[in-house]
Amino acid sequence: MSKPYAQTHIAENIFERVFDLSVDNEELVWHRDKKTRFVKVIEGVGWKFQFDNQLPKEIGPGSTIHINKRCYHRLLKGSTPLKVRIVEL
């Protein structure tokens, strides 16, 4: 199964991901990560981030999200491509 993003490795625990507008909403599934992450939005309009049992929150350039390992979450598609920088702990 292919990933809904293109990823660039920046350093040992840092990478960037770009979610193109061609991504299908069904590809943006609920999931859990194996490591704690800090996600900073670099580009993107109209995207939302949702933790389990919470309402989605709009994210945009400058937004930072702290995701604890094994915390259930998902993205909701916006109106422009989304570019994020992820730092894993």
Side-chain angles (χ1 to χ4, degrees):
M1 183 171 137
S2 66
K3 302 287 185 186
Y5 53 80
Q7 181 168 291
T8 304
H9 189 245
I10 306 297
E12 184 178 343
N13 64 336
I14 302 171
F15 44 97
E16 288 185 351
R17 288 184 179 169
V18 176
F19 295 81
D20 195 87
L21 283 181
S22 64
V23 68
D24 196 307
N25 279 317
E26 284 75 38
E27 293 179 89
L28 300 173
V29 296
W30 286 99
H31 67 282
R32 293 180 172 97
D33 299 323
K34 294 178 183 176
K35 298 181 179 180
T36 295
R37 293 179 170 176
F38 288 92
V39 180
K40 182 169 185 174
V41 178
I42 298 169
E43 299 171 5
V45 174
W47 288 80
K48 293 182 181 181
F49 182 89
Q50 185 175 14
F51 284 112
D52 193 24
N53 294 319
Q54 293 185 21
L55 293 173
K57 293 184 181 178
E58 190 156 336
I59 56 173
S63 297
T64 302
I65 307 156
H66 175 235
I67 307 168
N68 288 317
K69 66 181 178 180
R70 295 189 293 273
C71 181
Y72 215 40
H73 63 280
R74 70 173 176 167
L75 277 173
L76 298 166
K77 189 174 173 179
S79 56
T80 67
L82 176 68
K83 182 176 184 179
V84 296
R85 178 166 285 198
I86 300 170
V87 177
E88 284 188 335
L89 303 182

